[in-house]
Amino acid sequence: MTSSELWSRETADRYDDEEAENSSAALEPTLAFLAELAGGGRALEFAIGTGRVGVPLQERGVPVAGIELSEPMAAVLRRKADANTLPVTIGDMATTVVPGEFTLVYLVYNTISNLLTQDEQVECFRNAARHLAPGGRFVIELGVPPLRFLPPGQVAVPFDVSDRHLGFDTFDLVEQILVSHHFTRDGDDGRYRRADSRHRYAWPAELDLMARIAGLELEQRVADWHGAPFTDDADRHISVWRKPVT
């Protein structure tokens, strides 16, 4: 068992509804980006969850397999695709090995931050490299730590203030741990449901060093799935590392 928090059945059952704005048409740039990198080969999604990305990518003609720690999340995926169509192995993304080689391994939506230690994040890179065919690519989508918004003495940064949801992150700057706090209004009675999740944030340069340890080379880094340039103002990045052919 890794340090990743295990998602419950209750969370799995409402996950797709809560992430509806990141589904369907909004996913098109993500799917196009990943399909191009797969290049007609097989793709492996680490932490595939409910198949929010993996299922539509498979429907585009990319053979997809997945690794998922939470059995309830994988059970939701099974409502969309059977095991022959999209095989999923229950296990952690840092150490679990599945058969065969892949031209693409990908890890989206900040999920590498679910591994709460640097050692586990390094092992995740090594596991990606282990599965890649020569010339294959490892893709990560991850937010840039918003520490520039922290004035001296402040430890919290809001990321969403809307009618039905309040969200803010608190930071442990020594351990590189952030906790995302969510207050979600489910009904019209004024009551809010609280949820928290822990993450280890990492800078792009730190990820590049992890990639070098795993024998991977940085190929490109962009600010979004449309390929916008990565600049000082970017709040996230999509990074692509390549496994050398020789």
Side-chain angles (χ1 to χ4, degrees):
M1 178 67 68
T2 72
S3 59
S4 294
E5 296 175 350
L6 192 60
W7 290 47
S8 68
R9 182 171 302 279
E10 180 183 6
T11 301
D13 286 341
R14 63 170 178 259
Y15 181 82
D16 284 350
D17 288 338
E18 293 185 346
E19 297 299 327
E21 65 181 25
N22 295 314
S23 301
S24 60
L27 274 177
E28 178 57 31
T30 306
L31 301 175
F33 191 104
L34 295 174
E36 182 177 358
L37 288 182
R42 300 173 68 210
L44 175 63
E45 181 172 356
F46 284 178
I48 194 170
T50 65
R52 184 180 65 90
V53 175
V55 170
L57 184 62
Q58 187 274 333
E59 291 171 348
R60 291 176 73 105
V62 179
V64 177
I67 294 173
E68 173 55 42
L69 182 62
S70 168
E71 292 191 39
M73 293 287 278
V76 174
L77 184 153
R78 278 287 159 260
R79 302 171 193 166
K80 309 170 187 178
D82 61 34
N84 291 325
T85 302
L86 202 165
V88 175
T89 301
I90 301 299
D92 71 86
M93 58 187 166
T95 63
T96 300
V97 177
V98 302
E101 286 188 325
F102 299 83
T103 59
L104 174 68
V105 177
Y106 64 95
L107 183 54
V108 298
Y109 207 40
N110 301 319
T111 311
I112 193 170
S113 69
N114 291 354
L115 298 170
L116 300 180
T117 70
Q118 185 184 71
D119 285 345
E120 288 178 341
Q121 291 179 352
V122 169
E123 288 306 313
C124 183
F125 272 83
R126 285 178 166 154
N127 201 29
R130 183 181 298 122
H131 286 90
L132 285 173
R137 291 159 171 107
F138 182 36
V139 177
I140 283 181
E141 176 189 19
L142 185 62
V144 176
L147 300 189
R148 64 168 61 183
F149 297 112
L150 283 176
Q154 181 173 313
V155 296
V157 173
F159 58 84
D160 184 36
V161 179
S162 59
D163 182 55
R164 305 196 73 87
H165 179 258
L166 303 174
F168 61 92
D169 292 329
T170 55
F171 294 85
D172 180 336
L173 302 181
V174 174
E175 299 296 333
Q176 286 185 216
I177 295 293
L178 71 84
V179 181
S180 289
H181 305 266
H182 301 267
F183 294 84
T184 306
R185 188 153 61 96
D186 289 328
D188 296 323
D189 59 1
R191 296 183 180 182
Y192 282 80
R193 169 173 47 84
R194 177 174 179 172
D196 303 310
S197 59
R198 299 175 69 224
H199 307 268
R200 181 185 188 271
Y201 63 85
W203 300 97
E206 185 181 4
L207 298 182
D208 288 343
L209 184 55
M210 294 181 188
R212 288 179 59 189
I213 291 171
L216 304 176
E217 302 171 346
L218 180 66
E219 184 173 72
Q220 66 170 311
R221 174 168 290 128
V222 293
D224 59 32
W225 295 108
H226 295 280
F230 181 72
T231 67
D232 289 346
D233 295 325
D235 62 0
R236 63 173 173 155
H237 62 95
I238 290 89
S239 296
V240 182
W241 298 272
R242 186 171 182 266
K243 184 174 183 177
V245 175
T246 56

